[in-house]
Amino acid sequence: MRDVVSTRPNIWGDVRLIASARSAGRSLPVRGKQVQVMAMSAEAFDGVDLAMFDVPDEVSAEWAPVAASRGVVVIDKSGAFRMDPDVPLVVPEVNPDAAFSRPKGIISVPNCTTLSMIVVIGVLHHAYRLREMFAASYQAASGAGQAGTESLYDQLTMVGGHRALGQRPGDVRLAVGDGGEFGAPLALNVIPWAGSLRPDGWSSEELKIRNETRKILGAPELRISATCVRVPVVVGHSLALHAVFEAEVDADQARKLLSEAPGVVVTDRPEAGEYPMPVDVAGTDPTVVGRIRRAMDDPHALDLFVCGDNLRKGAALNAAQIAELMVADAR
Amino acid sequence: MRDVVSTRPNIWGDVRLIASARSAGRSLPVRGKQVQVMAMSAEAFDGVDLAMFDVPDEVSAEWAPVAASRGVVVIDKSGAFRMDPDVPLVVPEVNPDAAFSRPKGIISVPNCTTLSMIVVIGVLHHAYRLREMFAASYQAASGAGQAGTESLYDQLTMVGGHRALGQRPGDVRLAVGDGGEFGAPLALNVIPWAGSLRPDGWSSEELKIRNETRKILGAPELRISATCVRVPVVVGHSLALHAVFEAEVDADQARKLLSEAPGVVVTDRPEAGEYPMPVDVAGTDPTVVGRIRRAMDDPHALDLFVCGDNLRKGAALNAAQIAELMVADAR
């Protein structure tokens, strides 16, 4: 968040850092200045225009309304309010207008997996009207926070380190106990699970993709199925999508529309080995899309592959873009 | 192949090993005996009942008809004859009868990615009649042969080895030149490509899933879209599937049918962290299926995740099973 605030256009004036009492008093750099962290309190929000909340669901649930009641526009990255009908769920490239109807003074930021593909799907929905979508995700370890990244690093050291020390990688067999944050080894493995268990065997992450996509596109009847899978990647969520539209689609036209859309980069030259990949996307802002093909058996369907930085557009960047939207409107 | 021949039921009597002139003369163990490799020639097939071909497409194209013309039943693992209308494409659990109509004396073994899911899809097709399927794959490096595995091992040593030597994994940035067999780094990355380029941006691997599934199920009108993705796993191809059927589906019933099917293991207890994963499947014979859910927006659709050993069921095991089928019929 601090990195994004420090490198985006300066809309910020004074920046306050507010955290739990445990972190209060520390100094951290923001836009080149050291800023002392304040402890969370109702008064800490006095005089604040915009607050970006990057805290667990239960902290947002408690404190976002407190800030909002003092006139602050709250941009909340947690899951606490995403499906609240009185809270808009906003992606500036897709549904900016929604940000201006916020009865609770709160605007929600979608989940990182939804955000890794929604800008692309928004463009295609606008052109062809989405009817149905199947998504399979390839989610990075950092989606599970710092602990997730460290678990993967530890496992990679076990696997690759042994070889550096003269053993063959096949000599190393990771056990369930090495899984750390993921409950199973992620190095040299894929884990078809992300989030918590919901009815009928769905994971919370899979329901978020469905419910958030419906809300952002304003299409409550959309048929969506997702299967969420964790892969041994540090940064960069990818999704393979099969999207069925009301209108007939054309791959070249879709490629052209996407290449002209803000926030999207088309990387689609498989003949040159160029497709969206986490290794290229990590640390960048756009959603990258490629492998764009019209389904061979359905002229209304596109198959594609998208990849986004789950820590940037997937979280901090989208929040900062909403803040910029507020300021542009106020001016 | 030698491992599978050595550990499956002994239908084999005498075993000959036939290879290019370059390998001729070497001795290799098969079923506990050292067997000397013979050079490929027409005469090498004299007196042979069954031959399993594990060679490049062009070698099969040349030599399988030679062997067949001498009365040998050829079980061919290459891609040379898979879509030939006079060559059956056989998966013993799914379409065993097809093996007994072989005008050219050749039986084809499907591609490893098709084989990693087709036993599961066959069971469900039999019960509900498949109408449409979307597949996203998570394919192991070993699917690209020994060179693929070595490329991944080398990259993992660069990433993990540095940490063992005191650096942080983030200090290592793999470059395209480190990609080796895959043209891009596979460690800490996913590559949405497998095989060669076909018209309209499809990869050969994606077309194989579509065309082979149609042929094996005897359903030439099936609507199938696949997106094939390589992941940093050594052994074990996985697929996320969204399968739409003529009949209404029931997840519990599907689970029961699958758990009673030969060659299938159901691992579907997400509440206990149990789902199909390459780390558990590598080195085993069954296709493992889990994450079985009825689509929330379509009572005719199932979402599921399957995983199989691409070197066993994905290749050698399926060939040996066809050989066993021949012998059982001859007795």
Side-chain angles (χ1 to χ4, degrees):
Chain A
M1 289 283 279
R2 285 184 296 111
D3 180 48
V4 165
V5 166
S6 298
T7 53
R8 300 282 303 178
N10 188 9
I11 59 164
W12 291 102
D14 262 4
V15 174
R16 285 186 202 168
L17 298 176
I18 304 177
S20 66
R22 190 164 53 89
S23 301
R26 289 174 62 191
S27 266
L28 293 167
V30 183
R31 294 196 71 87
K33 281 200 282 195
Q34 287 296 121
V35 177
Q36 199 168 42
V37 177
M38 304 169 65
M40 181 80 100
S41 71
E43 295 71 32
F45 293 102
D46 285 342
V48 170
D49 298 310
L50 273 174
M52 298 197 290
F53 273 56
D54 185 16
V55 294
D57 290 5
E58 60 277 14
V59 178
S60 273
E62 181 182 351
W63 286 97
V66 172
S69 74
R70 298 175 102 86
V72 180
V73 175
V74 175
I75 301 166
D76 182 40
K77 287 168 57 193
S78 85
F81 299 99
R82 285 185 191 136
M83 296 315 297
D84 184 327
D86 289 332
V87 174
L89 187 62
V90 176
V91 182
E93 296 92 336
V94 182
N95 64 340
D97 294 349
F100 299 99
S101 167
R102 42 173 194 272
K104 293 189 170 171
I106 302 171
I107 300 169
S108 238
V109 174
N111 172 266
C112 56
T113 311
T114 306
L115 276 170
S116 297
M117 58 83 187
I118 195 69
V119 180
V120 165
I121 286 297
V123 172
L124 298 174
H125 175 62
H126 187 75
Y128 304 119
R129 199 135 297 273
L130 186 64
R131 193 170 68 197
E132 186 168 9
M133 183 173 77
F134 175 73
S137 76
Y138 303 72
Q139 297 183 223
S142 59
Q146 190 61 28
T149 299
E150 288 301 327
S151 290
L152 177 57
Y153 279 169
D154 289 346
Q155 295 164 22
L156 287 171
T157 306
M158 288 187 235
V159 173
H162 279 68
R163 197 181 205 206
L165 304 172
Q167 287 185 272
R168 302 199 58 240
D171 298 337
V172 184
R173 187 137 178 110
L174 294 172
V176 168
D178 300 320
E181 190 66 13
F182 302 105
L186 185 57
L188 298 183
N189 198 25
V190 303
I191 304 175
W193 192 259
S196 53
L197 183 65
R198 294 302 152 89
D200 301 319
W202 295 91
S203 73
S204 56
E205 194 89 351
E206 289 156 355
L207 300 192
K208 285 175 185 175
I209 290 179
R210 175 170 173 267
N211 298 333
E212 295 179 14
T213 301
R214 286 172 155 198
K215 182 168 178 176
I216 295 162
L217 300 183
E221 306 291 320
L222 264 184
R223 294 148 62 111
I224 299 182
S225 274
T227 295
C228 287
V229 180
R230 195 76 69 180
V231 295
V233 164
V234 178
V235 177
H237 284 0
S238 309
L239 295 102
L241 302 174
H242 177 79
V244 187
F245 299 90
E246 293 296 340
E248 276 204 25
V249 296
D250 177 88
D252 285 332
Q253 188 192 42
R255 225 172 265 121
K256 183 164 186 292
L257 290 170
L258 288 164
S259 67
E260 290 164 355
V264 177
V265 164
V266 176
T267 300
D268 197 7
R269 294 181 62 222
E271 68 279 12
E274 294 175 11
Y275 8 74
M277 295 190 289
V279 74
D280 295 321
V281 164
T284 71
D285 287 347
T287 304
V288 182
V289 58
R291 302 298 327 280
I292 301 167
R293 295 147 289 160
R294 185 163 95 161
M296 272 178 291
D297 304 313
D298 184 354
H300 291 257
L302 284 172
D303 291 285
L304 49 153
F305 194 78
V306 296
C307 191
D309 184 318
N310 53 301
L311 304 178
R312 292 184 71 88
K313 183 61 185 176
L317 174 63
N318 197 71
Q321 287 174 308
I322 296 172
E324 292 164 17
L325 198 61
M326 299 290 102
V327 172
D329 182 67
R331 276 172 187 162
Chain B
M1 287 283 280
R2 286 185 295 113
D3 181 48
V4 165
V5 166
S6 298
T7 53
R8 300 282 303 178
N10 187 7
I11 58 164
W12 292 101
D14 262 5
V15 174
R16 286 187 202 166
L17 299 176
I18 303 176
S20 66
R22 190 164 53 89
S23 301
R26 289 175 61 190
S27 266
L28 294 167
V30 183
R31 294 196 71 89
K33 280 199 282 195
Q34 288 296 121
V35 177
Q36 200 169 40
V37 177
M38 303 168 66
M40 181 82 99
S41 71
E43 296 70 33
F45 294 103
D46 285 342
V48 170
D49 298 311
L50 273 174
M52 298 197 292
F53 272 56
D54 186 16
V55 292
D57 291 5
E58 60 278 14
V59 179
S60 274
E62 181 182 351
W63 287 98
V66 172
S69 74
R70 298 176 102 86
V72 181
V73 175
V74 175
I75 301 166
D76 182 39
K77 288 167 58 193
S78 84
F81 299 98
R82 285 183 192 137
M83 297 315 295
D84 184 327
D86 289 331
V87 174
L89 187 63
V90 176
V91 182
E93 296 91 336
V94 182
N95 63 340
D97 295 348
F100 298 100
S101 167
R102 42 173 196 274
K104 293 190 171 172
I106 302 170
I107 300 168
S108 238
V109 174
N111 172 265
C112 58
T113 312
T114 306
L115 276 170
S116 296
M117 60 80 186
I118 195 69
V119 180
V120 164
I121 286 298
V123 171
L124 298 173
H125 175 60
H126 187 74
Y128 304 119
R129 200 138 294 272
L130 187 63
R131 193 169 67 199
E132 187 168 8
M133 183 172 78
F134 176 73
S137 76
Y138 303 70
Q139 297 183 223
S142 60
Q146 189 62 28
T149 300
E150 288 301 325
S151 290
L152 176 58
Y153 279 169
D154 288 346
Q155 296 163 22
L156 287 170
T157 306
M158 288 186 232
V159 173
H162 279 69
R163 198 182 206 205
L165 304 171
Q167 287 185 273
R168 301 199 59 239
D171 297 337
V172 184
R173 187 139 176 108
L174 295 173
V176 168
D178 301 320
E181 191 64 14
F182 301 106
L186 184 57
L188 300 182
N189 197 25
V190 302
I191 304 176
W193 190 260
S196 54
L197 183 64
R198 294 301 153 90
D200 300 320
W202 295 90
S203 73
S204 56
E205 194 89 351
E206 290 156 355
L207 299 193
K208 286 175 185 176
I209 291 179
R210 174 169 173 268
N211 297 334
E212 295 179 14
T213 300
R214 287 172 155 199
K215 181 169 178 176
I216 296 162
L217 300 182
E221 306 292 318
L222 264 183
R223 293 148 62 112
I224 299 182
S225 275
T227 295
C228 287
V229 181
R230 194 76 66 179
V231 296
V233 165
V234 178
V235 177
H237 283 1
S238 310
L239 296 102
L241 302 173
H242 177 79
V244 187
F245 300 90
E246 294 295 341
E248 276 203 23
V249 296
D250 177 87
D252 286 333
Q253 189 192 40
R255 224 171 265 121
K256 184 162 184 295
L257 290 170
L258 288 164
S259 67
E260 291 164 354
V264 176
V265 165
V266 176
T267 300
D268 197 8
R269 295 181 61 222
E271 68 280 13
E274 295 175 9
Y275 8 72
M277 295 191 289
V279 75
D280 295 322
V281 164
T284 73
D285 287 348
T287 304
V288 182
V289 58
R291 302 298 327 281
I292 301 166
R293 297 146 288 161
R294 186 164 94 160
M296 273 179 290
D297 303 314
D298 184 354
H300 291 258
L302 285 172
D303 290 285
L304 49 153
F305 194 78
V306 297
C307 191
D309 183 318
N310 53 302
L311 303 180
R312 293 184 69 89
K313 184 61 184 175
L317 174 62
N318 196 72
Q321 287 174 309
I322 295 172
E324 291 164 18
L325 198 61
M326 297 294 102
V327 172
D329 181 66
R331 276 172 185 159

